[in-house]
Amino acid sequence: VRTLRIEKTTSKEPVDFEPWIERDLVHTEGQLQNEEIMTRDGHATYLRFMIISAFDHFASVHSVSAEGLAVSNLS
């Protein structure tokens, strides 16, 4: 992955996403990339991860994890 964009929404359904974070990743020839993105500036009910560009013709994501605090229940 060359450029990764993360979008977020606070809607009860996964709609109306807005850009949140866009990051250029370091090219690690022959090795898996491992990127930790920390932020404290946002509330979200859904996240969307988009691969904008890549260093090669194919890209794969092996795992994604997100941590945060629940601030309210969806009802």
Side-chain angles (χ1 to χ4, degrees), residues 1-5 49-54 59-61:
V1 175
R2 181 185 303 258
T3 304
L4 174 70
R5 179 184 301 149
F49 294 82
M50 300 174 66
I51 297 172
I52 304 301
S53 63
S60 64
V61 176

Side-chain angles (χ1 to χ4, degrees), residues 4-8 17-23 37 46-50 52:
L4 174 70
R5 179 184 301 149
I6 304 172
E7 297 179 347
K8 67 176 182 166
F17 285 89
E18 61 185 46
W20 187 31
I21 298 168
E22 189 161 320
R23 184 81 43 99
I37 300 171
Y46 293 95
L47 297 175
R48 177 165 53 193
F49 294 82
M50 300 174 66
I52 304 301

Side-chain angles (χ1 to χ4, degrees), residues 11-67:
S11 299
K12 292 182 181 181
E13 298 295 325
V15 296
D16 301 326
F17 285 89
E18 61 185 46
W20 187 31
I21 298 168
E22 189 161 320
R23 184 81 43 99
D24 290 328
L25 306 184
V26 176
H27 188 216
T28 56
E29 184 70 40
Q31 298 177 351
L32 294 177
Q33 292 168 300
N34 186 13
E35 187 74 16
E36 183 174 340
I37 300 171
M38 297 180 66
T39 183
R40 290 179 172 33
D41 65 338
H43 301 287
T45 50
Y46 293 95
L47 297 175
R48 177 165 53 193
F49 294 82
M50 300 174 66
I51 297 172
I52 304 301
S53 63
F55 290 104
D56 207 340
H57 296 289
F58 299 96
S60 64
V61 176
H62 292 258
S63 70
V64 172
S65 64
E67 296 180 22

